[in-house]
């Protein structure tokens, strides 16, 4: 998902990332202030989410690339 693809998308409240997504730019969801939940398909080999579904984590590095709030 490219940089700024959803920048300041105020209507987005929930986000589901399928297993087919292999690249998410760090700035993709900047300004999505109404986003409350991130769900990542458990079969996604690149990314995961925290237990409370509030961030995107790159599995290989354990680096948070996006956090709600």
């Amino acid at each position: 998902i490219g940089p700024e693809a959803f920048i300041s998308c105020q209507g987005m409240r929930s986000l589901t990332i399928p297993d087919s997504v292999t690249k998410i730019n760090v700035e993709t969801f900047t300004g999505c202030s109404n986003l409350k939940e991130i769900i990542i398909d458990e079969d996604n080999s690149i990314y995961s989410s925290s237990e409370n579904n509030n961030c995107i984590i790159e599995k290989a590095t354990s680096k948070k690339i996006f956090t709600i709030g």
Side-chain angles (χ1 to χ4, degrees):
I1 304 173
E4 301 178 3
F6 296 99
I7 196 164
S8 297
C9 183
Q10 300 301 314
M12 187 182 307
R13 301 206 188 302
S14 179
L15 171 66
T16 300
I17 298 175
D19 63 342
S20 59
V21 173
T22 59
K23 178 67 178 158
I24 301 172
N25 188 284
V26 97
E27 298 170 346
T28 299
F29 303 105
T30 300
C32 295
S33 59
N34 291 318
L35 187 57
K36 304 296 182 210
E37 177 181 54
I38 300 170
I39 300 168
I40 299 177
D41 189 303
E42 63 184 38
D43 292 327
N44 189 303
S45 62
I46 308 296
Y47 300 104
S48 66
S49 184
S50 65
E51 290 181 21
N52 54 359
N53 296 329
N54 71 347
C55 66
I56 300 171
I57 301 167
E58 189 176 57
K59 288 181 177 180
T61 63
S62 298
K63 178 182 173 186
K64 288 183 184 178
I65 62 166
F66 178 78
T67 302
I68 293 174

